[in-house]
Amino acid sequence: MSQERPSTVYYFGTCLIDLFYPEAGMAGIELLQSQGVRVVFPQGQSCCGQPAYNSGYRDEARTVARAQLSLFTEDWPIVVPSGSCAGMMKKHWPELFHGTPDQARAEAVAGRVWELTQFLVNVLAIRLEDKGEPVRITWHASCHAQREMGVVDEPKALLRQLRNVELVELAREKECCGFGGTFAVRHPEISAAMVGDKIADIETTGATAVISGDCGCLLNITGALDAGKRPVRGQHIAQFLKERTHG
């Protein structure tokens, strides 16, 4: 996947970054800007509609998503620091608006959506210089990033550019952490068992940090780590990369 290098991009920040991980959102913007790209952040943006969509409330999801369609009028790439939200916009918006007056707009927007690491690697060909101390980490790949956006190798490629970072891959990387948005609320026992398996996998790596590209996963994993008083921290990949390369 490749595209001509743009001078300007839109940035869709996502709800969870806005509410819980604003520093990760800013780090993503700074990484893009470090490559000479102008970043436009439409101030009217809110939610992609995924919570309502995944719960079966299609009309409500359309209402929320429709409010975003008019924000991205220029023909610029839309970079999203979340595989989950990017997947909703790219894969599900066209179906959500199929047969409505907004179908063409939804399809046009969807065609310009990129997950952040995918964009950094495949479009900007970013090169990173590590300025941090030696550290061992592991990578958690979210279900939507892998299965809907096809983001598998890009995050690891970025992490492997960092000379003082040892990346130890999870044995069960493709397994869900158990969050799944409202799934964790509706099925707490199953969710808890799944995140327990994920934490056990993380601990076998000997990593001091687990890095991910989706804040929903981070909320779930770090919450369980904190509850169990495990000495492993969780961090969004954008913030991790920014800290390693800015010193």
Side-chain angles (χ1 to χ4, degrees):
M1 184 182 298
S2 62
Q3 177 172 307
E4 183 179 349
R5 185 184 181 95
S7 60
T8 303
V9 301
Y10 284 116
Y11 196 77
F12 187 80
T14 85
C15 301
L16 290 183
I17 278 184
D18 181 41
L19 295 172
F20 297 103
Y21 295 94
E23 64 280 1
M26 291 305 301
I29 290 173
E30 290 175 32
L31 286 169
L32 293 166
Q33 291 174 331
S34 74
Q35 301 305 295
V37 175
R38 184 171 73 101
V39 180
V40 175
F41 187 94
Q43 292 299 307
Q45 65 181 274
S46 57
C47 179
C48 66
Q50 184 176 177
Y53 180 84
N54 287 348
S55 298
Y57 295 100
R58 299 300 175 90
D59 291 340
E60 290 81 357
R62 258 189 298 274
T63 298
V64 174
R66 184 177 290 113
Q68 317 308 310
L69 291 178
S70 61
L71 301 176
F72 305 104
T73 55
E74 299 295 333
D75 190 25
W76 301 329
I78 303 165
V79 181
V80 187
S82 162
S84 181
C85 299
M88 175 66 189
M89 298 167 74
K90 191 173 190 69
K91 300 297 183 181
H92 298 295
W93 276 10
E95 181 271 331
L96 186 64
F97 289 100
H98 182 74
T100 75
D102 294 306
Q103 179 177 341
R105 281 202 304 167
E107 291 173 348
V109 169
R112 293 186 280 124
V113 171
W114 292 79
E115 186 270 343
L116 175 63
T117 64
Q118 187 183 53
F119 192 79
L120 291 173
V121 171
N122 297 326
V123 179
L124 299 184
I126 190 172
R127 301 306 301 172
L128 303 170
E129 180 182 354
D130 193 2
K131 299 179 181 179
E133 297 296 319
V135 66
R136 176 182 287 186
I137 66 167
T138 191
W139 166 254
H140 166 72
S142 81
C143 298
H144 290 109
Q146 293 180 94
R147 295 173 177 85
E148 294 190 341
M149 293 301 292
V151 177
V152 177
D153 297 327
E154 291 89 345
K156 297 177 192 176
L158 292 169
L159 295 169
R160 289 189 176 117
Q161 288 187 34
L162 305 173
R163 62 179 182 176
N164 288 328
V165 173
E166 179 187 1
L167 172 62
V168 182
E169 296 188 43
L170 294 173
R172 299 160 67 176
E173 179 181 310
K174 293 183 179 180
E175 289 187 16
C176 178
C177 73
F179 179 61
T182 57
F183 174 84
V185 177
R186 294 182 176 183
H187 305 283
E189 296 85 1
I190 300 174
S191 177
M194 293 171 73
V195 77
D197 288 345
K198 182 64 65 172
I199 288 173
D201 198 6
I202 291 169
E203 289 185 318
T204 62
T205 67
T208 59
V210 54
I211 310 302
S212 183
D214 270 280
C215 293
C217 300
L218 282 174
L219 280 173
N220 197 40
I221 293 170
T222 57
L225 287 168
D226 291 344
K229 296 181 168 45
R230 267 92 165 186
V232 181
R233 68 188 180 105
Q235 194 170 33
H236 190 281
I237 190 170
Q239 190 179 8
F240 182 77
L241 295 178
K242 188 233 175 182
E243 290 180 0
R244 298 294 305 188
T245 56
H246 286 63

